[in-house]
Amino acid sequence: MITMRLQLIAGVLAAALSSAALAQDETQREIERYRQLLAEGNPADLWEARGEQLWKAKRGPKNASLEQCDLGLGPGVVKGAFAQLPRYFSDTDRVQDLESRIVSCVVGMQGFKPEDAMKNPFSTPDRPSDMEALASYVAAASKGMKLDAPLRHPKEIEAFRIGEQLFYRRAGPHDFACVSCHGERGKRIRRQDLPQLTDPKDAQRIFTSWPAYRVSQGTVRTMQHRLYDCYWQMRHPQLGFVSEASIGLMVYMAKYANGGIVNAPGLKR
């Protein structure tokens, strides 16, 4: 009798799990369909156009444009530059991502103070961010190219080690780390699948699509904002804009994402 009951319970559980798996697959298909519909018209194009205007406009105390900014491929070369970031720059003697490099050019070429160049890096409902527009413009110039962020210079390797430590470092009231959500397959928050960022397949798909227009927020967001928001959700101390920690995490992710095709500005829910 007990054996029959156990078999019955096992059958019911198996049927329930099978139904749940089918429902999950159907939900995922609908999410992918939703993404495909959204991709037919990306509002990030508007940010890209505004970013180009800002890039070419003469501004600041020096009344200069950013057209001769060196993003790593030489002064004035925008095409393909994003696909080779983050990287070490000898003039600043540090590893920089896209936004920190833009800050350096805004300060050095246009004469803005560093605190003014880094002011308002993220949009709010009543205040658009110039940084998000500039990042969209530069990123779009690498669309379709393979990500090839270098990891050769000693400071690039050091940044990778910092990012690796931070990725696995648990902290905060929930004892969370980046690896808590992004260290293995099959995890999700509500209906959102969580990519495994140490798997090249997932890392290439995710890392290369930021900056991205976020439908839920009505604006373009960058990887700097994505990391800032993740730290907030983990209840960690605030991650500073273009901080050494944020750039270290990007170098760490870029190592796994190298070889992926740049598809930024992307489109997210």
Side-chain angles (χ1 to χ4, degrees):
M1 182 66 70
I2 294 176
T3 300
M4 291 179 62
R5 288 179 179 176
L6 289 174
Q7 290 175 339
L8 178 60
I9 292 171
V12 171
L13 287 174
L17 288 172
S18 177
S19 298
L22 290 172
Q24 181 173 324
D25 289 344
E26 180 62 27
T27 297
Q28 190 58 40
R29 282 194 294 271
E30 289 301 312
I31 290 173
E32 290 302 323
R33 180 172 175 272
Y34 168 72
R35 288 171 177 163
Q36 290 171 7
L37 290 172
L38 286 177
E40 293 177 2
N42 190 343
D45 292 346
L46 300 176
W47 272 255
E48 180 187 338
R50 188 166 73 87
E52 183 176 11
Q53 291 177 350
L54 289 168
W55 191 261
K56 297 177 180 179
K58 293 181 178 181
R59 302 192 302 156
K62 295 183 179 181
N63 191 34
S65 74
L66 296 172
E67 291 174 289
Q68 291 304 305
C69 174
D70 186 351
L71 295 166
L73 301 183
V77 180
V78 178
K79 188 175 181 63
F82 178 70
Q84 297 188 37
L85 291 172
R87 66 186 302 155
Y88 172 78
F89 287 86
S90 59
D91 59 349
T92 59
D93 192 31
R94 61 178 298 214
V95 177
Q96 295 185 284
D97 69 329
L98 173 57
E99 286 153 282
S100 61
R101 189 58 186 173
I102 290 174
V103 167
S104 293
C105 288
V106 168
V107 172
M109 302 182 70
Q110 296 183 317
F112 285 100
K113 295 179 180 179
E115 57 268 27
D116 292 330
M118 293 189 289
K119 189 177 182 180
N120 305 327
F122 309 135
S123 293
T124 63
D126 60 346
R127 187 199 66 238
S129 165
D130 289 348
M131 184 60 67
E132 290 169 343
L134 287 166
S136 297
Y137 166 65
V138 175
S142 290
K143 185 166 285 191
M145 299 182 182
K146 283 188 177 182
L147 185 72
D148 187 22
L151 192 60
R152 297 182 293 270
H153 192 277
K155 289 205 171 183
E156 292 168 350
I157 296 171
E158 179 186 11
F160 174 85
R161 297 304 179 199
I162 290 171
E164 183 178 38
Q165 290 178 14
L166 290 171
F167 189 83
Y168 288 96
R169 181 177 180 271
R170 293 181 176 274
H174 302 308
D175 193 35
F176 264 36
C178 302
V179 71
S180 302
C181 292
H182 300 294
E184 59 183 294
R185 287 199 171 277
K187 289 191 172 183
R188 61 168 50 198
I189 293 178
R190 295 179 294 276
R191 294 184 177 182
Q192 183 67 37
D193 286 330
L194 296 171
Q196 182 183 349
L197 294 178
T198 53
D199 181 326
K201 183 179 179 180
D202 279 2
Q204 289 171 0
R205 175 174 55 87
I206 297 299
F207 188 81
T208 57
S209 60
W210 293 91
Y213 180 84
R214 296 210 61 177
V215 176
S216 59
Q217 298 180 19
T219 189
V220 165
R221 295 302 191 192
T222 61
M223 182 56 79
Q224 280 282 340
H225 183 274
R226 178 65 268 176
L227 293 174
Y228 166 87
D229 196 39
C230 282
Y231 262 57
W232 177 82
Q233 291 184 60
M234 291 190 293
R235 303 302 187 263
H236 283 201
Q238 181 174 312
L239 187 66
F241 177 65
V242 300
S243 62
E244 183 180 7
S246 68
I247 294 171
L249 282 166
M250 286 194 211
V251 172
Y252 180 72
M253 289 188 288
K255 185 258 187 184
Y256 292 97
N258 269 343
I261 303 300
V262 174
N263 187 36
L267 187 68
K268 311 284 183 180
R269 67 173 181 82

